[in-house]
Amino acid sequence: MSRWNRIRGPRGESSQPEFTFQAVSIGLLIGCLLCFTNLYFGLQTGWISMMSLQSALIGFLLSKMLPTPLSPQEIVVLQTTAVATGTMPLAAGFVGILPALGLLDEEKDGSPPIHLSWLAAIGWSLSVAFFGVFLSPPIRKQVIIKEQLAFPSGTATGQLIAVLHKMPPPGTNTKTALRHRHGYSALDSEESTVAERVSLESEQDHDDGETEGGVVHDERDVVQQQGWAALAWSFLASAVMTLLAYFFPVIFAIPIFGTYLAREWLWTFTPSLSYVGQGMFYPDSRGRIIMGFPTTLSMNLGMLVGWGILSPIAKHAGWAPGPVGDMSTGARGWILWVSLAIMCADSAVSLLPVVHEYALKLLPSHNKDGAGEMEDLEVESEDRLVPFRWVGYGLGGSVVFGTVLVWAVFGDEGIKPWATLLGFVMGGLLSILGVRALGETDLNPVSGLGKISQLIFAWLQPGNVVANIIAGGVAEAGAQQAGDLMQDLKTGHLVHASPRAQFYGQLIGSLLSIVVSSTAYSLYKRAYEIPGPSFPAPTAYVWLSLARLLRNGQLPENSGLFMVAFGAVFALISGLKTFAARHDLWWAKYIPSGVAFAIGFLNTPSFSLARLVGGVVEFLYRRHVATTAGGDIRLIVIASGFVLGEGVVSVVSLVLRTCGVGAVSCWGCGTGLCGGCSA
């Protein structure tokens, strides 16, 4: 057994293997399920999930079936592999970049639609799949070892793993750090976060060993005794609901305010249990928003303003004369611009303190003792770290290899090799800002970072919409992937897992996910119109709309005024929220999230309403039910089952669709009301 894949304490002794076949295999299995799930929901709503907490929890349950259950460090490798596998649909642009290229119009954009074959999708995915993986080790030394940033999602996952394995709670400053966890923090001063609560209860149980009838009443026992049952029935309920909705589409398009508002103004309700589960606990890779009551309230506030006020105004004023749901001439396309302004303003303002602090740290007076401090704080021995030469060769190779592949897939007409190369450089620089923002606030503003790259490339290659989208995608991929993997490295740091073992898991997971994501996307393209009624791919329109604006400078009528107004308002709101969160002010949680508010514009009301149900359930459950050991973990298990149930059955639906099996009845759908009937 090689030295690197054995668990060691800080600077010390070897004990048991952690990079094992069982850990990686289970991680890949969970990751493939997440990959299909994320592609399905990403094409529907633009949102995907990192699901590190859920991966660790499900991995723990699966490992109980093995002759020897997995160790905490093996669980870290498992969930790291799962996250690397499951988040590729976003990193490779399957939910945004590729659908946007398929929407190109030669008259408007100077290029015909680009539809990649399966082999071309593999090539494109290979070009961006590993840059963020090789970028992570050097950033880890700065933000995790030297600066010790919180990375709340990674910290919460580490605490959960510690609870499940009866380890002392990792991290000494987590309580302060977790107060910045947007949408996941306590709703009043007497409540604690999931991670804080289970860690404190675990520590108490570890010290006291309280038993009744020989049974220890703690979170681990709850998970072992009830985890499978809760996961099974929640998974089954979501799966059955999804399958019924496939054969009877009106189930997921209930006209709650009458058929007229449903048909003409898209006011429907989708009682999807997966949407409800996402409203409970759902880490988001795009905005790093952790769902819950505060976030879902912000989202529904945006929905009311966007769809209840601005959409009718734009329609009746003649600014958006087309059908309401039309992304080009309808009200939905009109309010999309306001949504874009809000997201950019919120992301830019939230980045300002990070940029300021990072600039200060670069000054010699702030960094003269940095090297020695970093060395003193590193707890891992050299044989457990990723060697610097691997990082150098990997970064250089991934950039060169990626540039060649992008040129091979899109040609000179798409994007020049020098522009792709610059896109990787931009991705590296933006990754530092995104990772730092993520480490401090749990929010990775990759959408805003992607827009920054689009602005820069509009100046470098003016008029080239294809190059603008591709280069922005390359830059965003690095920032998003580095951020997701940094959360995992924070978990590993807290649980003393080998960074090198995690690095291997990331490489293996990313490699497999290239094939899985490309295959799944190709199957969806064959079975459905993308973008289309069933899978509108809203982020594709965000990418394409900004690229078109930068090419010809034309906005929908009177949308510019509303963009400036809402952008200015949410710049102030974001500044206030950032200030309050950094100073731990109690009222920070009551300030609306700009990104969540904008998502309420971007998606139809059915998206937000179902998640509000989940947010309310989460709030009431934590207030009145989750008062005993394991209560919070049980809620995570149920939410995970809801999400995975629909994600897995989506594969069944895809097979049925490919085989020509459609809806049994379109009763109640109306004209174009349900995607399953109108597609």
Side-chain angles (χ1 to χ4, degrees):
M1 185 73 65
S2 59
R3 295 172 64 196
W4 62 265
N5 63 352
R6 301 185 71 85
I7 303 169
R8 295 188 181 190
R11 303 277 191 191
E13 70 283 356
S14 173
S15 56
Q16 64 191 83
E18 60 183 293
F19 182 78
T20 60
F21 176 80
Q22 293 92 332
V24 174
S25 298
I26 297 176
L28 290 175
L29 174 62
I30 296 173
C32 287
L33 294 178
L34 295 182
C35 188
F36 271 95
T37 300
N38 280 332
L39 182 61
Y40 172 78
F41 289 119
L43 289 173
Q44 278 189 340
T45 65
W47 283 43
I48 76 165
S49 170
M50 187 174 137
M51 290 191 77
S52 54
L53 268 170
Q54 291 88 338
S55 297
L57 186 56
I58 296 172
F60 175 81
L61 290 173
L62 290 174
S63 78
K64 303 304 293 182
M65 302 171 62
L66 300 174
T68 303
L70 299 182
S71 67
Q73 289 74 20
E74 287 177 289
I75 294 293
V76 171
V77 174
L78 180 154
Q79 67 91 21
T80 300
T81 306
V83 168
T85 309
T87 55
M88 188 58 67
L90 177 61
F94 287 103
V95 301
I97 301 298
L98 298 190
L101 294 175
L103 288 169
L104 292 172
D105 182 277
E106 190 160 13
E107 183 178 346
K108 293 181 180 179
D109 309 311
S111 171
I114 297 176
H115 300 285
L116 298 187
S117 65
W118 178 82
L119 188 59
I122 291 284
W124 159 251
S125 302
L126 277 170
S127 69
V128 297
F130 301 110
F131 179 68
V133 177
F134 286 103
L135 196 63
S136 298
I139 298 180
R140 170 191 174 272
K141 283 188 173 292
Q142 176 66 29
V143 299
I144 292 180
I145 303 303
K146 182 179 178 182
E147 299 180 42
Q148 302 183 53
L149 298 184
F151 290 98
S153 290
T155 297
T157 305
Q159 290 179 313
L160 176 66
I161 293 172
V163 166
L164 296 175
H165 290 85
K166 293 219 169 214
M167 298 168 59
T172 56
N173 62 342
T174 347
K175 200 168 186 177
T176 302
L178 285 174
R179 283 201 293 268
H180 298 291
R181 198 168 188 221
H182 295 263
Y184 204 105
S185 57
L187 295 175
D188 59 46
S189 59
E190 296 180 357
E191 283 189 308
S192 60
T193 65
V194 172
E196 280 183 274
R197 185 183 303 174
V198 296
S199 295
L200 292 174
E201 290 176 355
S202 174
E203 186 175 26
Q204 181 179 4
D205 290 336
H206 184 77
D207 293 337
D208 300 337
E210 181 182 349
T211 63
E212 181 178 329
V215 179
V216 179
H217 292 278
D218 61 15
E219 288 77 7
R220 176 176 156 178
D221 290 324
V222 169
V223 172
Q224 291 180 1
Q225 295 169 11
Q226 304 177 18
W228 272 119
L231 185 65
W233 73 253
S234 59
F235 180 96
L236 183 62
S238 181
V240 170
M241 177 75 82
T242 305
L243 200 58
L244 285 175
Y246 178 82
F247 291 114
F248 304 94
V250 73
I251 292 176
F252 274 5
I254 298 175
I256 51 174
F257 300 122
T259 56
Y260 172 76
L261 288 180
R263 182 178 62 253
E264 300 296 333
W265 296 93
L266 308 184
W267 280 90
T268 62
F269 176 63
T270 300
S272 162
L273 291 180
S274 67
Y275 285 9
V276 174
Q278 290 167 15
M280 296 177 185
F281 295 101
Y282 196 67
D284 168 44
S285 282
R286 287 197 62 81
R288 264 307 54 78
I289 295 174
I290 307 298
M291 284 285 192
F293 191 54
T295 301
T296 54
L297 278 180
S298 295
M299 185 182 299
N300 279 265
L301 180 61
M303 175 203 69
L304 290 174
V305 172
W307 290 89
I309 299 176
L310 294 184
S311 176
I313 289 176
K315 176 72 172 179
H316 291 298
W319 304 335
V324 170
D326 190 281
M327 296 294 285
S328 298
T329 62
R332 186 177 187 183
W334 194 91
I335 64 174
L336 176 134
W337 289 97
V338 184
S339 171
L340 180 61
I342 294 172
M343 285 191 287
C344 288
D346 184 85
S347 299
V349 172
S350 64
L351 272 176
L352 289 178
V354 177
V355 174
H356 177 258
E357 291 182 6
Y358 187 69
L360 289 178
K361 290 179 183 296
L362 293 178
L363 296 176
S365 58
H366 287 262
N367 201 36
K368 58 184 178 181
D369 298 325
E373 182 183 357
M374 187 186 301
E375 179 63 27
D376 291 339
L377 291 173
E378 179 60 79
V379 299
E380 300 292 348
S381 56
E382 287 297 327
D383 62 329
R384 289 165 56 81
L385 297 172
V386 180
F388 180 77
R389 67 181 183 277
W390 292 11
V391 173
Y393 291 144
L395 283 175
S398 61
V399 168
V400 173
F401 186 57
T403 301
V404 171
L405 281 175
V406 170
W407 175 79
V409 172
F410 296 103
D412 280 332
E413 296 78 12
I415 184 171
K416 303 292 184 183
W418 64 264
T420 304
L421 184 64
L422 190 57
F424 280 110
V425 175
M426 282 287 300
L429 296 175
L430 295 176
S431 294
I432 296 173
L433 297 179
V435 165
R436 285 186 54 80
L438 179 64
E440 294 183 8
T441 68
D442 218 35
L443 294 171
N444 189 354
V446 290
S447 57
L449 297 176
K451 305 305 171 283
I452 292 174
S453 62
Q454 282 190 277
L455 291 171
I456 293 174
F457 280 96
W459 175 65
L460 293 173
Q461 280 198 275
N464 193 329
V465 172
V466 176
N468 187 276
I469 294 174
I470 296 172
V474 169
E476 187 189 58
Q480 177 263 324
Q481 195 176 39
D484 283 348
L485 302 184
M486 205 58 58
Q487 295 274 25
D488 297 331
L489 290 173
K490 178 68 175 183
T491 301
H493 176 69
L494 293 174
V495 186
H496 300 300
S498 163
R500 193 182 295 194
Q502 289 185 271
F503 175 74
Y504 285 138
Q506 291 165 353
L507 287 177
I508 294 172
S510 298
L511 182 62
L512 177 63
S513 190
I514 290 170
V515 179
V516 175
S517 299
S518 300
T519 303
Y521 183 73
S522 296
L523 291 174
Y524 274 111
K525 286 285 290 181
R526 291 181 184 178
Y528 296 92
E529 177 189 356
I530 297 178
S534 296
F535 297 98
T539 54
Y541 291 95
V542 175
W543 280 97
L544 183 58
S545 296
L546 182 56
R548 283 176 173 171
L549 173 64
L550 296 172
R551 181 175 190 260
N552 53 41
Q554 293 182 355
L555 287 168
E557 186 179 358
N558 284 328
S559 62
L561 177 63
F562 285 85
M563 290 176 68
V564 171
F566 275 85
V569 168
F570 274 91
L572 294 175
I573 291 175
S574 178
L576 183 63
K577 190 175 185 70
T578 301
F579 173 83
R582 284 173 172 265
H583 290 81
D584 292 328
L585 300 178
W586 64 270
W587 43 269
K589 58 182 171 287
Y590 296 110
I591 303 175
S593 162
V595 174
F597 190 91
I599 292 295
F601 281 53
L602 192 59
N603 290 284
T604 57
S606 61
F607 171 88
S608 302
L609 290 171
R611 283 158 178 79
L612 179 61
V613 173
V616 172
V617 169
E618 179 261 347
F619 174 76
L620 295 176
Y621 186 94
R622 291 183 61 207
R623 276 292 179 93
H624 303 293
V625 180
T627 56
T628 58
D632 279 318
I633 295 182
R634 189 183 298 111
L635 186 61
I636 297 175
V637 171
I638 294 172
S640 302
F642 284 162
V643 174
L644 291 175
E646 182 165 338
V648 172
V649 172
S650 69
V651 180
V652 178
S653 302
L654 178 61
V655 173
L656 292 174
R657 184 83 174 196
T658 304
C659 295
V661 179
V664 172
S665 172
C666 290
W667 177 85
C669 288
T671 305
L673 191 60
C674 304
C677 292
S678 60

